[in-house]
Amino acid sequence: MGIMEIGGQALPEGIVMRNRDKISIAKRDKNTIKEKLLYTAEPQGRRYQLPIIRGIFLLWNFYSSLIASFKEPAARKKKQGRVLYQLILILNLFAAVFIFLFFMLILPTLLAGLFEGFIKNVFLLNIVEGLIRMFLFVLYMRLLMKFQDIEILLKYHGAEHKTIHCYEAGETLMVENVRTFQRSHPRCGTNYISYTFTVYLIINIFLGWPDMGMRLITRAFTILVSFIVGYEVFYYLDQSKNPFFGKINDVFSKIQYWTTTLEPDDDMIEVGIRAIRPIIGELRMTGQDVIKKFGSVDGYLILEEVLGKSKSELKLNMPFELTQKEEEKIIKISELYDRIPLQYILGHWNFYGREFKVRENVLIPRFDTENLLETVINWRSGYKDILDIGTGSGIIALTLGLELPEASVIGVDISEDAYRLAEENRKLLQAENVEFRLGDLFEPVSGEKFDLICSNPPYINRQDMENLDWKVKSEPSLALYGGEDGLDFYRRIISHAPKYLKPGGLLAFEIGSDQGKSVELFLQEEGFHDIKLFQDLQGFDRVILAVYQ
């Protein structure tokens, strides 16, 4: 669907948005935002296309719809309260019109009359009057900004413009995107007023400089004409692609920064986004949408992360809509999801019932590795000294240390990134009996002996490396590639392990599904015995244990 032309109006604590056939409103009520499509208008008739009169009908149509937005709170009151509420609205409207006419019509004419003794040129007198009028308009708006309610209103006005700019630029409607756009807009009513003042000045120049009484009468008449003609100029220049007219629009748009808009906060921008969505047919994202987009497994993981709720809570509350902030977090994840593994996006992952930090350049924890831990923990008790080779994020070493608090555990890795991340996880989980060292295989523990040496080494062969899924290829090859046949690290570890095992010490590996027999042969050649293979839930070889006397 193409970009449609959208206009808007700021309200106290809210924003109205509309296009040619719809109008919607979003209002902030304490910490919540309520939005709704007020109505879908009938197709606009011929009167809305006729020059000269269309501006009147469009303004009447918009503001009559706008007034409808105030009926709901009034309707909830008693009859007497509703009448009083509507009477106050009418009085406020007349007061605002009178003040505006005084500042824009009567006062500029009176002040310009003071220059009659100094300036005789009719053209210059009208120019002076026009400049006074513009100055008073700016002054009038700057004074209004001193009132807190008006300040809030003008911030919502800025949020309205930013939101429309973001939509027209084709950017995703999220707060951080909307925030980057300017708070002025060429279709703003402030520009309409600027064009009206310009037309008003030109007409009055042709009418000359009559006496004060006649001048007030002609000014009152010409201001009505100027509003009508000003709309046509405003309309045609907005449609024009002429760069010169574009510059004029840019100049008038700058006036908005001084008079009718202020920089909004993120909560106000969120209101603008919620107001525009019903107009463009963009519905709120739901929990079901997330599940459908990412699949059941990743979808629930993402919802758990964003909403801070468990899977059971999420299922219990289905169906539910996401807030704007929650939706924006989902959008950010979605933008990365097709090129970065979810674990890296979230920055943490659950392993053996604990949350571990996860980071790019370090292997992602996998459920398969839990088989290794369960096997060695249940195989025997009484481990005192444990070594984890190729510790990565530290999941094996830390889990063993926390599950076996009487043991002393050392984790080693050649990767500095892995070493730093393992240290962060150690501090996070407060595993005081675990130590991490930087170095290659047994190098950091020279001369030490262990009851248990365990490892999940790189074990993918060359052919499989070429055919890996893109998500696995996103992980460091240093932690994946095990040489031509995938067995290089098993050979190296097995050949050196006897020097580092205590009598009766246990060597434990996670292995690839087709590597059990090969690793068993290596162990036998180095004098290991009591060799046991264990399968995972799918029935594939996944863990191998061996004892060395």
Side-chain angles (χ1 to χ4, degrees):
M1 184 176 66
I3 299 296
M4 64 183 76
E5 190 171 283
I6 291 178
Q9 174 70 37
L11 305 174
E13 296 297 339
I15 293 174
V16 172
M17 294 283 191
R18 71 156 301 157
N19 61 6
R20 292 185 179 275
D21 58 1
K22 295 176 185 175
I23 182 169
S24 74
I25 184 171
K27 290 183 178 179
R28 179 169 289 281
D29 181 12
K30 295 181 180 178
N31 293 324
T32 62
I33 300 174
K34 300 177 180 179
E35 89 272 4
K36 67 176 180 176
L37 190 66
L38 288 180
Y39 75 88
T40 301
E42 297 179 1
Q44 294 178 345
R46 180 175 173 78
R47 64 182 181 273
Y48 290 99
Q49 280 77 47
L50 291 175
I52 305 303
I53 67 170
R54 61 184 166 192
I56 299 172
F57 284 111
L58 285 168
L59 285 172
W60 173 260
N61 178 276
F62 180 78
Y63 283 103
S64 62
S65 304
L66 186 60
I67 290 171
S69 70
F70 291 99
K71 288 182 179 179
E72 184 181 353
R76 291 199 294 263
K77 301 177 183 290
K78 294 181 180 180
K79 182 176 180 181
Q80 298 88 341
R82 185 164 64 249
V83 171
L84 179 61
Y85 178 82
Q86 293 173 338
L87 179 61
I88 291 172
L89 280 179
I90 293 171
L91 291 174
N92 283 340
L93 178 62
F94 276 106
V97 170
F98 174 78
I99 293 171
F100 183 81
L101 288 177
F102 175 76
F103 268 88
M104 298 302 106
L105 175 65
I106 300 172
L107 188 57
T109 300
L110 292 174
L111 292 176
L114 300 177
F115 289 86
E116 290 179 356
F118 310 101
I119 302 174
K120 303 301 181 181
N121 186 288
V122 171
F123 175 81
L124 291 178
L125 283 171
N126 278 289
I127 293 294
V128 168
E129 183 187 14
L131 292 174
I132 291 173
R133 182 171 292 108
M134 184 57 73
F135 171 78
L136 288 175
F137 172 67
V138 174
L139 178 63
Y140 172 70
M141 294 306 303
R142 298 299 294 185
L143 289 174
L144 286 179
M145 287 181 185
K146 301 297 183 182
F147 295 93
Q148 185 178 12
D149 289 346
I150 300 298
E151 180 185 2
I152 293 172
L153 181 70
L154 299 185
K155 287 182 177 180
Y156 275 107
H157 194 195
E160 171 217 329
H161 288 171
K162 285 174 174 279
T163 304
I164 294 174
H165 272 305
C166 185
Y167 166 71
E168 291 174 337
E171 296 285 340
T172 302
L173 286 168
M174 50 196 297
V175 172
E176 70 174 28
N177 288 346
V178 173
R179 192 192 302 126
T180 62
F181 287 90
Q182 61 188 34
R183 70 173 192 258
S184 65
H185 197 283
R187 290 199 305 276
C188 176
T190 307
N191 277 22
Y192 173 32
I193 292 173
S194 299
Y195 285 117
T196 298
F197 283 174
T198 303
V199 171
Y200 191 42
L201 173 62
I202 294 171
I203 293 175
N204 288 334
I205 287 173
F206 283 102
L207 293 178
W209 192 261
D211 61 62
M212 180 63 71
M214 183 57 68
R215 203 159 66 244
L216 288 173
I217 294 173
T218 57
R219 296 301 192 256
F221 173 75
T222 54
I223 198 168
L224 295 175
V225 175
S226 299
F227 269 104
I228 295 171
V229 177
Y231 179 82
E232 294 304 311
V233 175
F234 176 55
Y235 176 84
Y236 281 113
L237 290 187
D238 179 59
Q239 301 295 316
S240 172
K241 303 300 181 184
N242 188 301
F244 173 74
F245 293 145
K247 294 293 184 183
I248 296 176
N249 239 343
D250 290 343
V251 171
F252 284 157
S253 293
K254 295 296 182 185
I255 297 175
Q256 296 171 40
Y257 277 85
W258 306 332
T259 57
T260 58
T261 66
L262 290 171
E263 196 64 27
D265 60 34
D266 287 353
D267 289 340
M268 294 171 175
I269 290 174
E270 185 177 348
V271 173
I273 294 171
R274 294 280 289 274
I276 201 174
R277 280 188 154 174
I279 297 298
I280 63 178
E282 188 176 288
L283 302 177
R284 294 272 301 281
M285 188 182 291
T286 66
Q288 294 95 320
D289 293 331
V290 178
I291 301 300
K292 183 177 180 181
K293 179 177 179 61
F294 298 102
S296 179
V297 175
D298 284 359
Y300 275 110
L301 287 170
I302 290 169
L303 287 172
E304 286 178 303
E305 171 73 13
V306 172
L307 275 67
K309 296 180 179 179
S310 68
K311 185 176 181 179
S312 58
E313 287 179 293
L314 293 169
K315 285 186 172 182
L316 185 64
N317 291 318
M318 288 283 189
F320 58 85
E321 288 186 341
L322 302 178
T323 67
Q324 177 67 28
K325 291 180 180 178
E326 290 166 348
E327 186 171 330
E328 290 188 7
K329 291 178 181 178
I330 299 291
I331 291 171
K332 289 180 181 178
I333 291 172
S334 178
E335 290 173 348
L336 301 172
Y337 186 76
D338 290 334
R339 54 189 175 86
I340 299 175
L342 180 60
Q343 296 90 332
Y344 289 151
I345 296 172
L346 300 181
H348 61 88
W349 203 246
N350 188 279
F351 180 82
Y352 217 84
R354 298 180 178 90
E355 287 294 318
F356 288 81
K357 290 184 179 181
V358 178
R359 190 175 301 146
E360 291 186 67
N361 299 323
V362 181
L363 191 72
I364 294 170
R366 285 167 170 75
F367 176 72
D368 286 340
T369 307
E370 294 191 1
N371 291 295
L372 173 62
L373 287 161
E374 289 178 355
T375 303
V376 298
I377 290 172
N378 295 325
W379 182 251
R380 65 164 71 155
S381 60
Y383 299 114
K384 293 298 182 182
D385 298 293
I386 300 173
L387 174 64
D388 171 29
I389 297 176
T391 194
S393 56
I395 56 170
I396 294 176
L398 290 166
T399 301
L400 287 172
L402 293 168
E403 294 294 321
L404 306 170
E406 300 302 319
S408 175
V409 184
I410 296 174
V412 300
D413 205 294
I414 195 172
S415 165
E416 291 188 15
D417 290 324
Y419 170 75
R420 284 193 292 268
L421 181 59
E423 272 294 317
E424 289 180 31
N425 281 321
R426 184 185 66 79
K427 293 175 182 176
L428 176 69
L429 297 171
Q430 299 180 340
E432 300 297 332
N433 60 332
V434 180
E435 175 189 354
F436 292 108
R437 299 178 187 177
L438 183 64
D440 185 24
L441 301 184
F442 295 99
E443 187 180 86
V445 292
S446 178
E448 298 182 56
K449 297 279 187 176
F450 301 91
D451 301 294
L452 168 64
I453 297 174
C454 59
S455 179
N456 174 23
Y459 57 70
I460 300 177
N461 62 45
R462 181 179 297 279
Q463 183 177 349
D464 289 343
M465 282 291 291
E466 295 173 357
N467 300 316
L468 288 176
D469 179 77
W470 71 265
K471 290 184 179 180
V472 181
K473 285 185 177 180
S474 300
E475 300 181 69
S477 60
L478 183 67
L480 297 171
Y481 183 55
E484 187 70 32
D485 60 359
L487 300 170
D488 284 1
F489 287 93
Y490 295 109
R491 294 188 185 94
R492 291 180 61 191
I493 294 172
I494 292 171
S495 65
H496 290 88
K499 292 185 294 184
Y500 295 91
L501 281 170
K502 297 178 183 179
L506 184 67
L507 180 61
F509 288 113
E510 178 179 325
I511 58 175
S513 59
D514 60 350
Q515 295 175 328
K517 295 301 180 183
S518 298
V519 176
E520 183 178 8
L521 181 60
F522 299 155
L523 290 165
Q524 290 171 348
E525 291 174 350
E526 290 296 332
F528 285 84
H529 60 88
D530 292 340
I531 301 170
K532 303 290 184 182
L533 274 170
F534 298 86
Q535 287 72 45
D536 59 22
L537 294 177
Q538 285 73 43
F540 296 113
D541 289 344
R542 188 59 59 195
V543 175
I544 190 166
L545 304 183
V547 177
Y548 190 81
Q549 290 296 345

